[in-house]
Amino acid sequence: MLEALNERILNEQLIHATISQPRMRSNEVKRIKLKPVMVKERYHIQVEYQYERILKHDNIVLADFPAKLEAIFADFRQAQLRFTEESVHIQLSKKNKVLWKQNAEQVTNASLTHNRKKQYVLEENTAYPFLVRLGVQTADGKVKQAKFDKFKQINRFVEMIDDSLSYLPKDRTIRILDFGSGKSYLTFALYHYLKIEKGLDIHVTGLDLKKEVIEECAQIARDLNYEHLEFLVGDINDYNDETAVDMVVTLHACDVATDMALARAVRWGASVILSVPCCQHELNRQLQAPALDIMLQHGLVKERFAALATDSIRAEILSLVGYETQLLEFIDMAHTPKNILIRAYYTGKKPSAEQFERYERFTQLLHAQPFLAKELKIERP
Ligand SMILES: C[S@@+](CC[C@H](N)C(=O)[O-])C[C@H]1O[C@@H](n2cnc3c(N)ncnc32)[C@H](O)[C@@H]1O
């Protein structure tokens, strides 16, 4: 089996693969995804390790991949692989007997895997009216040099939206709220993707404190005939519209404004939350943990630690109230240090007593009194 797989993979025929069914329930990695990627002009296989709440990535050069594949199958018993000309399903018995099922597929352009350029959901040389109006592209669709990072960020965000589609309602208008939308690059991007490209029935609201910025966004929406996109001037803290929202988005809403938005989302029972927090000051002020003094004596380390601990606590609180939550890398560090995205899907799963205990242990250790916990009245049942 390994030989047959390696032959295809070393010939650069892999399109994507999912490897699942850990042999041991205690395995921390629950699933693995593979796909080819170009890193510094070199073909690699990207291994995505899916833990219960986090994802980790490792890019492996082809020559090293057979050893990695063998190690993966020492821990997993099922695989679904898509190659350029066929798909393969593999099931291993406990004693490693191989069941191999193979189906011919329509030949997929192998150049996809050879493509040296990143494939973006929004393409580089297609003019998108909203990107032209927002000054990211020129009228003929060229991404402006100074706006390339923004273009990447928008694309990454659209990828995240795409991954979340199955969690959104299909039988009624999907309501989406972008809290602290600012210049609203992402608000326009999600409208374009869901309404114009996917034809979904949506209603999107962007909310921000800045009156002039919001008026300009509203004008662009009118000019582009984006009828179901509205912009409101207002404070997240005072936003009391009772109409339930299905997806809540925040990108770089400062400090506890992110928590306020998360709390609103939870109260609405929003199915999807995508939130990239910004600066965090709350925990930095509360933090007292003698066991961590070696770290916390350095202001810089304390600030970063507080930011990471805050996002971990936010993720934990969301899972305590029934969300499957992951912290993902939003965009690589070279572009912005504010690069953690909290992604939460509502499942309604009830937390266990141990989950509460470990949450309490952690917050007590840090002397943390999270705003979000107070807003959501988090306490042991
Ligand atoms: C760093 S900007 C990000 C803007 C936009 N989301 C983006 O990523 O391009 C943060 C935005 O949040 C808005 N904001 C901060 N606190 C807010 C609050 N309490 N209510 C509404 N908007 C808020 C600010 O006015 C600002 O436009």
Side-chain angles (χ1 to χ4, degrees):
M1 176 197 78
L2 288 173
E3 217 170 282
L5 291 179
N6 281 324
E7 188 188 321
R8 290 165 172 82
I9 292 171
L10 296 179
N11 278 326
E12 302 188 5
Q13 291 172 349
L14 179 72
I15 294 177
H16 54 76
T18 303
I19 299 168
S20 53
Q21 229 182 67
R23 285 176 193 269
M24 311 276 283
R25 286 188 62 173
S26 55
N27 240 21
E28 288 189 351
V29 179
K30 302 299 174 203
R31 201 184 295 131
I32 289 181
K33 288 199 168 185
L34 307 177
K35 69 172 182 192
V37 288
M38 297 303 299
V39 182
K40 298 197 175 122
E41 303 288 305
R42 243 180 122 188
Y43 187 99
H44 290 66
I45 301 290
Q46 182 174 85
V47 185
E48 179 181 280
Y49 299 94
Q50 302 192 345
Y51 292 73
E52 195 151 337
R53 278 202 202 87
I54 55 166
L55 300 178
K56 286 188 183 166
H57 296 94
D58 199 4
N59 296 327
I60 296 178
V61 291
L62 268 188
D64 295 343
F65 194 73
K68 173 59 72 179
L69 195 65
E70 191 170 354
I72 290 175
F73 278 107
D75 288 339
F76 290 87
R77 297 207 290 127
Q78 196 177 63
Q80 184 69 44
L81 305 104
R82 176 74 162 89
F83 295 106
T84 45
E85 296 183 16
E86 78 249 289
S87 55
V88 174
H89 178 81
I90 292 170
Q91 181 69 55
L92 299 180
S93 74
K94 283 191 179 148
K95 293 184 176 165
N96 272 344
K97 204 168 149 218
V98 180
L99 181 73
W100 174 293
K101 277 195 205 155
Q102 177 174 330
N103 283 321
E105 297 280 354
Q106 202 176 12
V107 177
T108 303
N109 190 356
S111 70
L112 180 82
T113 55
H114 290 271
N115 197 339
R116 313 260 134 180
K117 268 187 137 176
K118 168 110 175 81
Q119 294 282 315
Y120 292 111
V121 186
L122 300 173
E123 289 164 19
E124 269 186 77
N125 288 314
T126 305
Y128 296 96
F130 76 97
L131 286 181
V132 175
R133 275 302 297 269
L134 293 172
V136 175
Q137 286 182 320
T138 58
D140 58 355
K142 294 246 157 23
V143 177
K144 293 183 187 168
Q145 190 88 37
K147 294 286 180 182
F148 208 83
D149 287 351
K150 201 74 198 168
F151 179 72
K152 277 172 117 176
Q153 202 181 66
I154 292 170
N155 261 294
R156 174 80 174 132
F157 185 73
V158 172
E159 272 175 38
M160 296 281 181
I161 299 274
D162 193 56
D163 288 347
S164 309
L165 286 183
S166 60
Y167 289 85
L168 293 169
K170 292 172 186 60
D171 53 347
R172 59 177 172 81
T173 305
I174 303 167
R175 281 199 46 95
I176 303 174
L177 219 157
D178 183 351
F179 276 130
S181 55
K183 271 196 84 180
S184 304
Y185 295 97
L186 300 189
T187 336
F188 279 102
L190 73 85
Y191 187 87
H192 166 85
Y193 187 66
L194 295 178
K195 184 78 191 168
I196 317 280
E197 293 209 4
K198 294 271 168 193
L200 298 181
D201 178 11
I202 58 170
H203 184 92
V204 181
T205 306
L207 179 93
D208 203 285
L209 290 170
K210 295 179 191 150
K211 187 164 175 285
E212 275 155 34
V213 178
I214 282 292
E215 277 169 1
E216 198 184 323
C217 293
Q219 185 59 50
I220 297 176
R222 277 194 295 277
D223 294 348
L224 296 175
N225 280 329
Y226 284 3
E227 285 175 20
H228 304 279
L229 174 58
E230 64 170 351
F231 288 97
L232 303 176
V233 181
D235 190 321
I236 301 172
N237 303 298
D238 303 331
Y239 187 81
N240 285 320
D241 191 335
E242 294 294 315
T243 321
V245 170
D246 302 296
M247 182 195 280
V248 169
V249 170
T250 77
L251 182 80
H252 300 158
C254 309
D255 203 12
V256 293
T258 292
D259 298 290
M260 195 56 98
L262 295 178
R264 294 258 186 285
V266 171
R267 284 199 214 105
W268 281 316
S271 320
V272 176
I273 302 173
L274 297 175
S275 174
V276 182
C278 192
C279 43
Q280 274 113 13
H281 307 300
E282 190 199 22
L283 182 59
N284 201 4
R285 285 191 294 265
Q286 299 170 350
L287 201 52
Q288 275 177 44
L292 302 177
D293 274 352
I294 286 179
M295 291 174 78
L296 304 184
Q297 64 180 326
H298 306 287
L300 177 70
V301 176
K302 185 177 177 203
E303 190 186 316
R304 291 194 188 168
F305 176 83
L308 291 171
T310 301
D311 287 338
S312 309
I313 290 173
R314 285 173 171 149
E316 198 61 24
I317 292 176
L318 289 174
S319 67
L320 290 176
V321 294
Y323 282 82
E324 180 190 312
T325 311
Q326 289 180 321
L327 297 183
L328 306 171
E329 188 165 67
F330 179 49
I331 197 98
D332 64 69
M333 279 296 218
H335 301 292
T336 166
K338 300 167 193 168
N339 73 338
I340 288 186
L341 179 131
I342 304 173
R343 182 173 75 186
Y345 297 137
Y346 187 71
T347 61
K349 191 171 167 217
K350 296 267 176 282
S352 61
E354 293 83 65
Q355 236 181 310
F356 265 101
E357 272 166 33
R358 85 179 186 161
Y359 166 77
E360 281 177 351
R361 266 201 310 277
F362 190 64
T363 45
Q364 278 162 13
L365 170 75
L366 303 185
H367 215 257
Q369 289 144 350
F371 181 89
L372 184 58
K374 280 179 245 156
E375 278 293 304
L376 294 176
K377 301 190 172 53
I378 296 294
E379 48 198 43
R380 214 190 284 210

